[in-house]
Amino acid sequence: MFKRVLIANRGEIAVRIIRCLRELNIESVVVYSEADKESLPVMLAGKAVCIGPAGAKESYLNGDILIETALKTECDAIHPGYGFLSENADFARKCEKNGIIFIGPSAEIIEKMGDKQAARSLMMAEKVPVVPGSKELIHSEEEAVRIAEDIGYPVLIKASAGGGGKGMRRAFSKEELVSAYAAAKAEAKAAFGNDSIYLEKLVLNPHHIEIQIMADKKGHVVHLGERECSIQKNNQKMLEESPSWFLKPKLREKMGDVAVRAAKAAGYNSVGTVEFIADDKGNFYFIEMNTRVQVEHPVTEMVTGIDIIKEQINIAAGRKLSVKQSDISLKGSAIECRINALSTGKITCLHFPAGYGVRVESHLFEGYEVSPYYDSMLAKIIVHGNTRLEAIRRMRRALEELIIDGIKTNSELMYMITYQPDFIAGQYNTGFYEKNKDNIEKTV
């Protein structure tokens, strides 16, 4: 097992990793930018090293300084968390060349699955269902128009690198496609340094279902069930739950089996997520694989009782999975709400909810200064109940207890979501927010 691990991230995920390392009796080294010098990860880590100014490019995205810091502090491994360099094959490769274990899949796998078009091609070869679309990357507007006319409008332009809705545009006509093509490439270039794009048929208002998988270096692969991630605004997830109320047992089993087959086809060897969209008839299609831990992983932990970060670290250290597929079952229901900042400033009063079945992941404390430099997520409120209705009521109670003064957040908006009839009934898809927008926002 590792003696010392460098955490190449910040915020709540850095805190989450520090806690896990401490329980495994592994020393932690946290890197931080000048903007994060007073942050909670810096206070909790065994050692903290400043790696540059506030801008992410000069700090958290500077792979060379991260590796230099890991070598100077004699770290055995680097945990990238999510975002930043977590899905950067070049960074993983540099770690490998310097004798540092990258806590994630190999550079080759990240490259293969991180490139969404390459992943689509691999899935098609393995007869995993994919959304109809381009078989290769698109290199011109003319090519995009030709493919769109072949598969029919509406279509979706997607960045081949990265995620989080960046470099994604819808088009319902040739005119919209021509305009969206340039915009998607420009956004992808700015977000990921890679403007490669591909095109696929737009399935309107599908269910966004992701399957959590774990795979060790000995060829064992399991899935931990699904997460329903259909409540989104501007392609950004807001609330996730497990299990999905939409999936029937046979469809759940089929999607889990396909996710395991996809991971085996990729030669996967870490924790990761296979993402699908599904229509109301139960047809589902592979859209991408995330070769990292997801923001919403606690939802799965709550219903399975499995510490995903711990398994990820053990896998990287060469240990086999602690569970077999037959050991895994989903117990009860779990929901996660992402609490985001809508402004910057100092936290003047903070109270997190607690009590039975409530979990909070955050890096906030009273006096913390929320800066404009990084992602706006402040906390994740996760609840578990024996039934879905109990989980919904527990989430409402938790959000009622939450106090974050000094800045504006989306907590009231999240609270209103839990009262929408479509959500309560579990009858929702990715069109949920737009459909219920007026009801949600008029009281916030």
Side-chain angles (χ1 to χ4, degrees):
M1 181 49 77
F2 308 122
K3 178 183 178 183
R4 190 176 296 118
V5 171
L6 183 137
I7 301 168
N9 217 296
R10 64 176 301 278
E12 69 87 15
I13 188 59
V15 173
R16 170 77 175 89
I17 296 166
I18 290 169
R19 288 169 173 162
C20 187
L21 291 173
R22 186 168 294 171
E23 291 177 12
L24 289 169
N25 200 30
I26 299 172
E27 297 174 22
S28 59
V29 175
V30 162
V31 295
Y32 65 94
S33 72
E34 292 173 359
D36 281 336
K37 63 181 179 180
E38 304 292 338
S39 67
L40 187 59
V42 170
M43 299 177 195
L44 293 179
K47 185 178 180 63
V49 179
C50 183
I51 54 169
K57 287 184 179 180
E58 290 75 42
S59 52
Y60 299 108
L61 289 173
N62 188 335
D64 291 336
I65 194 67
L66 291 170
I67 289 173
E68 180 184 329
T69 303
L71 292 172
K72 284 184 177 180
T73 54
E74 299 182 336
C75 288
D76 310 295
I78 291 179
H79 197 307
Y82 54 71
F84 293 131
L85 296 175
S86 61
E87 293 182 285
N88 187 300
D90 289 338
F91 179 63
R93 191 171 289 113
K94 286 180 180 179
C95 289
E96 294 165 7
K97 287 182 179 179
N98 283 276
I100 301 169
I101 300 296
F102 179 82
I103 300 180
S106 68
E108 179 185 2
I109 293 172
I110 294 174
E111 211 156 48
K112 181 163 49 178
M113 300 309 292
D115 183 318
K116 294 181 178 61
Q117 181 56 44
R120 274 173 56 87
S121 298
L122 176 63
M123 294 303 106
M124 286 189 282
E126 293 294 323
K127 301 192 181 334
V128 171
V130 301
V131 181
S134 57
K135 294 182 179 180
E136 304 291 341
L137 295 175
I138 294 174
H139 302 288
S140 67
E141 289 180 5
E142 293 75 17
E143 186 181 1
V145 169
R146 179 178 56 78
I147 294 171
E149 290 175 348
D150 286 343
I151 64 176
Y153 291 96
V155 296
L156 186 65
I157 300 174
K158 297 179 73 174
S160 187
K166 301 293 186 182
M168 187 183 296
R169 292 291 189 281
R170 294 180 173 192
F172 291 80
S173 65
K174 177 180 177 180
E175 292 72 25
E176 288 187 7
L177 178 59
V178 170
S179 174
Y181 176 85
K185 285 183 73 70
E187 187 174 50
K189 181 68 174 179
F192 315 119
N194 182 343
D195 67 354
S196 299
I197 60 172
Y198 65 101
L199 185 146
E200 62 185 27
K201 179 74 174 176
L202 174 61
V203 181
L204 289 171
N205 298 331
H207 295 268
H208 186 152
I209 306 291
E210 57 187 32
I211 306 291
Q212 177 71 56
I213 61 101
M214 302 192 306
D216 62 26
K217 296 180 180 180
K218 305 178 190 301
H220 305 129
V221 184
V222 300
H223 72 83
L224 305 183
E226 82 283 357
R227 296 185 288 259
E228 173 77 67
C229 303
S230 297
I231 296 184
Q232 304 176 11
K233 182 180 181 182
N234 300 325
N235 297 315
Q236 299 291 319
K237 298 170 187 173
M238 304 173 70
L239 178 153
E240 301 91 4
E241 64 175 308
S242 182
S244 167
W245 203 244
F246 160 72
L247 293 190
K248 300 298 184 287
K250 285 187 178 179
L251 183 56
R252 174 176 292 112
E253 181 179 2
K254 186 175 181 181
M255 292 181 76
D257 290 343
V258 169
V260 168
R261 181 151 51 96
K264 287 182 175 179
Y268 204 73
N269 56 8
S270 184
V271 304
T273 306
V274 182
E275 302 209 4
F276 300 95
I277 56 172
D279 62 26
D280 289 332
K281 296 179 180 179
N283 301 307
F284 65 93
Y285 308 95
F286 169 89
I287 52 173
E288 65 184 19
M289 184 172 189
N290 291 299
T291 58
R292 53 171 167 80
V293 68
Q294 292 276 79
V295 172
E296 58 272 21
H297 74 273
V299 174
T300 298
E301 293 181 330
M302 296 289 268
V303 293
T304 62
I306 294 171
D307 187 330
I308 292 172
I309 301 294
K310 180 179 178 181
E311 291 288 338
Q312 184 186 31
I313 293 168
N314 281 333
I315 291 168
R319 295 182 174 180
K320 66 178 184 180
L321 292 176
S322 66
V323 293
K324 304 185 295 293
Q325 192 65 59
S326 58
D327 299 326
I328 299 163
S329 62
L330 307 186
K331 298 180 177 65
S333 183
I335 302 171
E336 173 182 288
C337 284
R338 302 188 186 196
I339 306 302
N340 294 330
L342 302 180
S343 66
T344 58
K346 183 176 288 188
I347 305 297
T348 57
C349 181
L350 177 68
H351 175 75
F352 283 133
Y356 187 82
V358 177
R359 169 177 169 181
V360 178
E361 300 283 346
S362 180
H363 58 290
L364 295 188
F365 55 87
E366 287 188 9
Y368 177 78
E369 188 80 30
V370 177
S371 76
Y373 298 107
Y374 312 112
D375 184 82
S376 64
M377 192 174 72
L378 302 174
K380 301 182 302 196
I381 310 297
I382 312 106
V383 300
H384 181 270
N386 292 322
T387 65
R388 185 171 182 271
L389 182 57
E390 183 176 64
I392 291 172
R393 288 172 173 167
R394 187 159 286 153
M395 178 59 79
R396 291 173 183 166
R397 188 265 291 173
L399 290 170
E400 287 167 0
E401 291 181 17
L402 176 66
I403 299 173
I404 305 177
D405 286 344
I407 62 168
K408 295 180 180 179
T409 76
N410 68 335
S411 60
E412 291 183 0
L413 182 146
M414 300 306 298
Y415 183 70
M416 291 306 302
I417 286 175
T418 68
Y419 277 94
Q420 301 309 304
D422 287 347
F423 174 70
I424 296 169
Q427 302 299 316
Y428 65 88
N429 53 37
T430 53
F432 169 87
Y433 193 84
E434 195 61 33
K435 177 183 176 183
N436 295 279
K437 181 178 178 180
D438 290 343
N439 290 334
I440 294 169
E441 297 184 355
K442 72 180 179 181
T443 53
V444 175

